[in-house]
């Protein structure tokens, strides 16, 4: 984002922890102005005490929830690629996912399970969850999000194969519409070696197995 400034709320420091977020101040003002109109259209009074700062807070929240547009996911992977002869499956499972449905701008959230089979290079393990966040922190549909994560890892690392399985709950289903609170949507995407039934079955077994 351009014109970034640190904007700290009164509650940014709690028990010695100081949260520092960055926002585009011009965009905060622009989004906040629209939300004042939205509150008014909903029958609320934007000037009442409890809502005075709500447009600004919503504007900041939306910037944070969509900051993935400004993240180079492939660059994250390239920053921590290492030559290594390891050629067995690498699995990172139970990665927390938080995103926003582009149809209703309501949250969906759950877990992603990701594996790749190195082909001369491995990547720092923390970069895989960061790639998930880079794409999740945008207006999304779960199907596209699953494919984007797969394609980024495949195109950047050039492994022998990539597997992505995502399980999420969607608030657009739970809070409105069909109102089914316990439904879970599962999506998957595979490349290379994971298109083989044996390799894919091993991956699915590993992500469902308990280490307890």
């Amino acid at each position: 984002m351009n014109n970034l400034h640190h904007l700290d709320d009164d509650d940014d420091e709690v028990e010695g922890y100081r949260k520092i977020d960055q926002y585009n101040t011009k965009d905060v003002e622009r989004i906040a102005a629209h939300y004042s109109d939205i509150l008014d259209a909903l029958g609320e009074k934007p000037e009442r005490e409890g809502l005075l700062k709500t447009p600004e807070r919503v504007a900041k929240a939306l910037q944070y929830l969509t900051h993935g547009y400004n993240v180079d996911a492939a660059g994250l992977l390239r920053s921590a690629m290492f030559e290594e002869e390891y050629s067995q499956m690498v699995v990172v499972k139970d990665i927390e996912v938080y995103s926003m449905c582009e149809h209703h701008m309501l949250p969906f959230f759950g877990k992603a399970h990701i594996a790749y089979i190195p082909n001369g290079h491995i990547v720092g393990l923390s970069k895989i969850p960061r790639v998930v966040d880079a794409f999740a922190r945008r207006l999304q549909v779960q199907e596209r999000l699953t494919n984007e994560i797969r394609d980024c890892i495949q195109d950047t690392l050039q492994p022998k194969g990539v597997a992505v399985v995502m399980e999420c709950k969607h608030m657009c289903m739970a809070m409105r519409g069909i109102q089914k609170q316990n439904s879970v949507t599962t999506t998957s995407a595979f490349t290379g070696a994971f298109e083989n039934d044996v390799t894919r079955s091993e991956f699915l077994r590993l992500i469902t197995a308990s280490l307890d």
Side-chain angles (χ1 to χ4, degrees):
M1 298 178 184
N2 297 322
N3 302 317
L4 292 177
H5 297 280
H6 294 300
L7 298 178
D8 302 322
D9 292 332
D10 293 338
D11 57 354
D12 276 350
E13 187 163 355
V14 179
E15 296 180 355
Y17 171 75
R18 185 168 181 79
K19 176 172 65 72
I20 300 177
D21 290 326
Q22 291 184 318
Y23 305 100
N24 184 311
T25 53
K26 291 183 178 179
D27 286 347
V28 167
E29 293 172 0
R30 182 181 176 189
I31 296 170
H34 287 294
Y35 264 90
S36 293
D37 291 339
I38 290 171
L39 289 171
D40 184 66
L42 291 173
E44 265 292 357
K45 297 179 179 179
E47 67 276 7
R48 72 176 175 87
E49 182 180 15
L51 294 176
L52 278 176
K53 285 193 172 184
T54 295
E56 180 182 351
R57 292 188 182 107
V58 172
K60 291 179 180 179
L62 286 175
Q63 282 201 19
Y64 177 76
L65 294 172
T66 59
H67 72 260
Y69 290 117
N70 300 295
V71 178
D72 178 5
L76 288 172
L77 292 176
R78 287 193 297 267
S79 72
M81 286 177 59
F82 309 99
E83 290 188 10
E84 185 62 54
E85 293 305 314
Y86 186 82
S87 60
Q88 302 301 309
M89 191 182 305
V90 178
V91 181
V92 183
K93 68 176 188 177
D94 295 334
I95 301 169
E96 294 180 357
V97 176
Y98 298 96
S99 192
M100 296 275 286
C101 165
E102 68 180 28
H103 298 145
H104 302 96
M105 289 187 65
L106 288 172
F108 67 91
F109 56 90
K111 294 181 178 180
H113 315 289
I114 299 173
Y116 73 99
I117 299 176
N119 186 23
H121 289 88
I122 61 172
V123 68
L125 293 177
S126 69
K127 302 305 179 184
I128 293 179
R130 290 185 184 277
V131 167
V132 173
D133 276 349
F135 290 111
R137 297 300 190 178
R138 307 177 186 189
L139 297 182
Q140 279 287 9
V141 295
Q142 185 176 331
E143 296 88 342
R144 183 173 67 241
L145 174 58
T146 306
N147 284 342
E148 287 179 336
I149 295 167
R150 175 202 61 189
D151 293 345
C152 180
I153 297 172
Q154 180 64 49
D155 294 344
T156 308
L157 294 184
Q158 296 291 308
K160 296 177 182 177
V162 176
V164 180
V165 168
M166 193 168 295
E167 305 168 291
C168 293
K169 291 187 175 183
H170 292 249
M171 290 299 98
C172 57
M173 290 179 64
M175 296 177 65
R176 56 162 301 284
I178 195 66
Q179 296 185 46
K180 299 299 181 184
Q181 283 78 23
N182 297 315
S183 62
V184 176
T185 300
T186 301
T187 50
S188 62
F190 305 99
T191 66
F194 289 97
E195 294 177 340
N196 176 282
D197 289 343
V198 174
T199 308
R200 185 166 61 248
S201 295
E202 180 184 354
F203 165 68
L204 296 174
R205 179 181 58 81
L206 288 171
I207 66 174
T208 56
S210 172
L211 296 179
D212 295 338

